[in-house]
Amino acid sequence: MNAKFCLIAAALALAAAVALGAFGAHALKGHLGAEMLATYQTAVQYHFWHALGLLGVGVLMTRSPDVVGLAWVAWLLIAGLLLFSGSLYLLALTGATWLGAVTPLGGVAFIAAWLGLAWWASRR
């Protein structure tokens, strides 16, 4: 992973967050119950925040000669986006409750990413 890839991934993830948020707000409002709509909104919120985090990591990569640690952080954020937000999107849209078992794996990836960033920053 390099800064360019990270920044492109962040920009695409942010565009997807806007599109999925708009889809949820407009197309799903009358089709999902309140609980599933709240689940979908949780997915959108975590998607946005962590895609912004990925953007920040990409910016740090452009300014640091040591990108190995940051690359791990970026991959963990991407994994979290796919596992956490992705599983919640699918859960809300399909009602497949087994996806709830996947969501915590994404949460762990998010936590590991932020701890990894703290570790990287502490070495500066």
Side-chain angles (χ1 to χ4, degrees):
M1 161 108 36
N2 59 31
K4 182 178 180 178
F5 181 86
C6 189
L7 291 169
I8 291 169
L12 293 174
L14 286 162
V18 172
L20 289 165
F23 176 72
H26 299 290
L28 296 179
K29 199 169 238 174
H31 294 89
L32 292 181
E35 185 177 338
M36 286 297 114
L37 199 55
T39 297
Y40 191 91
Q41 274 306 114
T42 298
V44 171
Q45 287 177 343
Y46 275 77
H47 186 154
F48 262 116
W49 287 113
H50 291 86
L52 284 171
L54 184 61
L55 182 67
V57 170
V59 170
L60 288 172
M61 286 177 138
T62 67
R63 304 204 180 280
S64 174
D66 173 24
V67 297
V68 175
L70 291 172
W72 278 101
V73 172
W75 283 119
L76 285 165
L77 286 170
I78 290 169
L81 285 168
L82 294 172
L83 294 171
F84 186 89
S85 294
S87 67
L88 289 180
Y89 287 132
L90 290 172
L91 172 64
L93 294 173
T94 68
T97 56
W98 66 269
L99 288 163
V102 175
T103 308
L105 299 174
V108 168
F110 284 150
I111 292 166
W114 295 119
L115 291 174
L117 183 60
W119 173 80
W120 177 85
S122 74
R123 296 179 55 232
R124 303 277 106 355

